[in-house]
Structures are given as C-alpha cells and as structure tokens.
Amino acid sequence: GESVGLHLPTLSVQEGDNSIINCAYSNSASDYFIWYKQESGKGPQFIIDIRSNMDKRQGQRVTVLLNKTVKHLSLQIAATQPGDSAVYFCAENANAGNMLTFGGGTRLMVKP
Amino acid sequence: GAGVSQTPSNKVTEKGKYVELRCDPISGHTALYWYRQSLGQGPEFLIYFQGTGAADDSGLPNDRFFAVRPEGSVSTLKIQRTERGDSAVYLCASSLTLAGPQYFGPGTRLLVL
C-alpha cells in the first residue's frame, strides 16, 4: 500500500522508552483536540482527546498535555512498543465549526 | 461493533470520468464527515452532514464535487469530470454527536490517470 508521510518529521525511539510527540496548533479559538495514529494504508485511528477546559488527560499508556498559552499539544506514549510505529497527527476543532484541522504529522519509529 | 466502512477500497479511473465513493458510518452516528488526504499530508476537510443535510460544505474544492446522505446513514461522494489532481485518499468519518470524537474509515484510494 502507499505510505503516509514520506517527508514528515521523524522521531526514533528505542523499544521500552517513553515517546513525546509535539504539535503546535493554529487557532486560539479551538476548544477540542484529538490525537490520531495512522499506519500505512489505513485510516486515522482515534487515540485520545482533550477539551480546552483541561490541561492533561490520561489513557492507557498515553497522556495528552494541552498548553493553551502557547497553543501547544503533546502526546506522551509510555513504554513504547514496535506496534506504536506509525504517523501521528494532532487535530483541532474550533468552536465555529465541526471540521477537524490536522497538523502536519510526525512519524514515530520504534527500534526493537 | 463494526467501524466506518468505505467502498471501493481502491478506484482507478481515467481523466474526465465520473466516480462515486461510498461511506457507511458507525450505526447510530448522526454526524458524517468527508476528508481528503494527499501523500505526506494530514487529512483536509471537505464536507460534513448532520442527519440528511450538508451542514458545512466549505471544504469542497469546486462544483465537480458533490455529496449526499439521503436517509441520514450511508453517504456518497460524487466527483464529476475527474482530473489527475483529484488523486488522493478519500476518508470518511462519523461521530455520535457533533461534540464527540470522529472515527475514520479505511479510506478509498482514488487514482486518476
């Protein structure tokens, strides 16, 4: 199948280490944020979301941090596994509409 | 349960032809979205439906693109007089409510020769 993100920023980590993927969002009116994981040839897979009234939210092995002051979002993956290798996108939803605006994506490569 | 499904998974057509891409959302999801993803980029919004009506079609690139959702469930994206620049992955997503997360299907890979 075709590859997603041939020229994306790449984060390479050792299996078992923690990963941090960063995203700068553009719209100060955005009030809802989602992280997606996309493997080659597949659609984006929902990982975790956060609303603007929170600054941290935890899921299973993942944590999202939101800093509205500097319009920054991060995804932390604990004990990264080879199956975590994929392209990760942040997406924002501004109050005015329901479309998601996606960031440029980061490729995560996990070395065994 | 079943996720969002899209058919066909791949479509190859010739410049100038008409194509239809189908999306079957998660059962009970009222909102349905179409996005387009070019190689190396994130998805870009095209249109979304709340029920049967197109609530926002501001992302459609021109009048060759049209989408319908006649019964509030399945949606069809229609592209007339296809051009080589239309080649991309067309993604469909659905959400239970407008305020909830959007769940994506596998996409239709369209190649216009």
Side-chain angles (χ1 to χ4, degrees):
Chain A
E2 66 185 30
S3 294
V4 173
L6 293 179
H7 304 290
L8 294 175
T10 298
L11 174 65
S12 184
V13 300
Q14 202 70 38
E15 180 179 359
D17 287 351
N18 297 333
S19 303
I20 300 177
I21 300 171
N22 296 302
C23 175
Y25 64 92
S26 56
N27 190 343
S28 57
S30 293
D31 61 354
Y32 180 52
F33 305 87
I34 306 178
W35 278 100
Y36 286 96
K37 171 188 180 183
Q38 188 171 29
E39 297 173 283
S40 186
K42 298 184 178 180
Q45 175 189 349
F46 173 85
I47 302 174
I48 192 168
D49 59 357
I50 189 169
R51 299 197 182 274
S52 59
N53 60 351
M54 304 173 68
D55 54 20
K56 179 179 181 179
R57 191 167 186 220
Q58 289 185 291
Q60 185 177 8
R61 280 202 308 121
V62 294
T63 301
V64 55
L65 299 177
L66 174 62
N67 185 330
K68 294 181 289 292
T69 302
V70 296
K71 294 191 288 186
H72 183 267
L73 198 66
S74 69
L75 176 70
Q76 301 178 1
I77 305 174
T80 315
Q81 303 168 0
D84 295 326
S85 295
V87 176
Y88 289 79
F89 290 100
C90 65
E92 61 185 293
N93 186 340
N95 210 17
N98 277 81
M99 75 284 284
L100 292 175
T101 300
F102 282 78
T106 297
R107 177 183 297 280
L108 176 65
M109 297 179 63
V110 182
K111 296 175 286 187
Chain B
V4 176
S5 62
Q6 293 186 245
T7 55
S9 54
N10 294 281
K11 177 70 177 178
V12 181
T13 191
E14 294 179 342
K15 179 175 177 297
K17 299 290 187 182
Y18 168 82
V19 297
E20 289 189 351
L21 312 179
R22 175 189 167 110
C23 172
D24 207 331
I26 294 172
S27 178
H29 281 198
T30 58
L32 183 148
Y33 311 80
W34 284 99
Y35 292 82
R36 180 167 71 173
Q37 186 174 28
S38 299
L39 198 60
Q41 299 180 15
E44 293 180 319
F45 170 77
L46 296 176
I47 184 172
Y48 92 88
F49 293 84
Q50 176 61 20
T52 60
D56 185 342
D57 64 357
S58 62
L60 295 178
N62 51 60
D63 62 5
R64 295 187 297 106
F65 290 75
F66 189 71
V68 295
R69 196 187 185 198
E71 298 179 356
S73 179
V74 171
S75 176
T76 304
L77 178 66
K78 309 180 181 193
I79 310 174
Q80 298 177 319
R81 304 182 305 278
T82 51
E83 300 177 357
R84 293 194 180 91
D86 299 335
S87 297
V89 176
Y90 289 81
L91 294 163
C92 177
S94 69
S95 63
L96 185 60
T97 64
L98 288 178
Q102 297 178 23
Y103 297 94
F104 282 82
T108 293
R109 285 148 191 80
L110 175 66
L111 177 61
V112 182
L113 300 177

